């Protein structure tokens, strides 16, 4: 794996958005219910005062008896973005916002992951590809 990229222009030119198969859902899990989760099923999580927020494939969420609060498509930017990079999230969030597409972002150690309303995934991919193409044209 190459080194993490900080340069915004390089990040935008190289972001390569990929739509991961499936429907993903966000839910809040109590501490008691969290103990019963198989963590291999959890795509992302963060602890909040209200409980543990998790993202997982919607069918698995249902198997655990959890209530979905947001149905999403999961898009990964396949560029190794540095966690200290400045401007990538702002650039794609602004582009998606201009298209009236909400996005929820999870930064992994190597990649940024964007969760958009499932029904707007194709439109989001088009917006992200245009953003990448515009950066390549510069």
């Amino acid at each position: 794996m190459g080194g993490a990229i900080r340069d915004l222009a390089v990040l935008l030119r190289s972001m390569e958005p990929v739509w991961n198969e499936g429907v993903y859902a966000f839910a809040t899990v109590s501490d008691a219910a969290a103990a019963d989760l198989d963590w291999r099923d959890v795509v992302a999580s963060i602890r909040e005062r209200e409980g543990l927020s998790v993202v997982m494939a919607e069918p698995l969420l249902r198997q655990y008896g959890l209530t979905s609060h947001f149905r999403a498509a999961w898009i990964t930017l396949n560029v190794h973005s540095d966690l200290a990079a400045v401007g990538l999230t702002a650039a794609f969030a602004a582009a998606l916002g201009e298209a009236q597409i909400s996005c929820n972002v999870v930064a992994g150690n190597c990649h940024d992951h964007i969760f958009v309303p499932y029904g707007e995934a194709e439109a989001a991919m088009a917006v992200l590809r245009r953003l990448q193409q515009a950066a390549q044209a510069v």
Side-chain angles (χ1 to χ4, degrees):
M1 179 186 321
I5 300 168
R6 276 193 185 188
D7 183 275
L8 179 58
V10 174
L11 287 167
L12 290 170
R13 283 195 305 266
S14 310
M15 61 185 199
E16 294 297 327
V18 173
W19 180 0
N20 297 287
E21 189 176 321
V23 179
Y24 294 84
F26 285 65
T28 300
V29 182
S30 69
D31 287 339
D36 294 332
L37 292 178
D38 181 338
W39 289 97
R40 293 172 294 188
D41 293 336
V42 177
V43 172
S45 67
I46 190 161
R47 177 149 315 277
E48 300 181 289
R49 280 190 310 271
E50 296 82 1
L52 182 70
S53 287
V54 297
V55 180
M56 51 187 3
E58 188 176 57
L60 292 172
L61 194 84
R62 279 196 226 111
Q63 285 179 12
Y64 285 108
L66 300 172
T67 301
S68 171
H69 296 282
F70 180 69
R71 295 183 79 236
W74 171 17
I75 299 170
T76 298
L77 300 184
N78 273 343
V79 61
H80 187 174
S81 53
D82 190 308
L83 286 167
V86 175
L88 179 60
T89 302
F92 67 70
L96 291 167
E98 286 176 19
Q100 298 297 301
I101 300 171
S102 70
C103 66
N104 295 276
V105 183
V106 175
N109 196 43
C110 298
H111 304 285
D112 289 281
H113 305 273
I114 308 166
F115 294 88
V116 299
Y118 188 78
E120 297 177 18
E122 285 184 35
M125 285 294 293
V127 167
L128 295 169
R129 286 186 188 120
R130 281 193 303 272
L131 181 62
Q132 181 181 7
Q133 290 165 354
Q136 290 170 343
V138 176

